[in-house]
Amino acid sequence: MKKLVLLAAVVFGLTTMNAQKNSILLGGNVGYSHTENKTGGSKDKVDSYDWSPYLGYQFSDHFTIAAQVSFQKSDLDKNQLDKLFLTSGDLKTTKIGGFIRYTQPLSETFAIYGDLGAGWQETKTKGKYENASVNYEQKADGFYIGFKPALFINFKNNFGLNFSIGGIEYNHLKEKKSDSKSNGVDVTFGNAFNIGISKNFAL
C-alpha cells in the first residue's frame, strides 16, 4: 500500500512539472528598490518604483525565454538636485529586452527561479530650476545586463505569485547630444522588493 501511494505521488509530481512544458508564460511585477552610489565624498540615494510586464515561452520543464518591458520612476535626493541646481526632479527609465529563466521546483507549491536578462534602455531626467522659466531635461540611452533570483508560489494550475528581494545589474548609458558616458553596477539584494503574478497557458 505504501509503495502504491509513493508511486502515485511520483507520477503526480512529474505530471505537475510537465504541465508547464510547451506553454505560454504571461506575467508582470511591481517593485521598489533603494540604491546608494558614492561619488567622491558624496553619496547619492535613489528610491525607485517599477512595473514590468512580460510574455514568454516555456520550452522545457526548467527553461523559459521571454520578452519584457519595464517602466521605472526614480526620485532624486537633495544631493543629486543640488548638483544640478534643481529644486525638484525625477528620473524615468524605459527598458525593452528579454530574459532566459531557469526554474527548479521544490514541491507542488513552491519553486525557485533565476532570470538572466539583457536589453536596451532609455533614461529621462527632468527637473525644475528655482525661479526659472525653463525646465531641465537630459536623455541618455544604452544597454543593461542583469540577474535576479526569485520564489514562485503556485496557487492552482501554474497560476501564482512571484517574490524577489533584489538582484545585480550592469548598466551602460551615453547622454544624448553629448560624449558623456556612464557605467555602473547596481546590487540590490536586501534593498529591493518585487511582487508579481504569472500564469502558464498550455498550448
Side-chain angles (χ1 to χ4, degrees), residues 3-4 17 77 82 92 120 142 155-157 160 165 181:
K3 291 183 179 180
L4 184 60
M17 290 187 290
D77 69 356
D82 289 344
K92 293 182 180 179
W120 171 88
F155 288 153
K156 186 178 181 180
N157 297 327
I165 57 171
K181 298 179 182 179

Side-chain angles (χ1 to χ4, degrees), residues 66-84:
Q68 182 178 44
V69 294
S70 177
F71 306 97
Q72 185 181 78
K73 180 179 181 295
S74 304
D75 299 324
L76 303 181
D77 69 356
K78 186 178 184 304
N79 187 43
Q80 293 170 304
L81 294 173
D82 289 344
K83 289 179 181 178
L84 299 172

Side-chain angles (χ1 to χ4, degrees), residues 181-198:
K181 298 179 182 179
S182 64
N183 299 280
V185 177
D186 293 328
V187 181
T188 57
F189 290 109
N191 294 317
F193 179 75
N194 286 270
I195 184 172
I197 58 174
S198 63

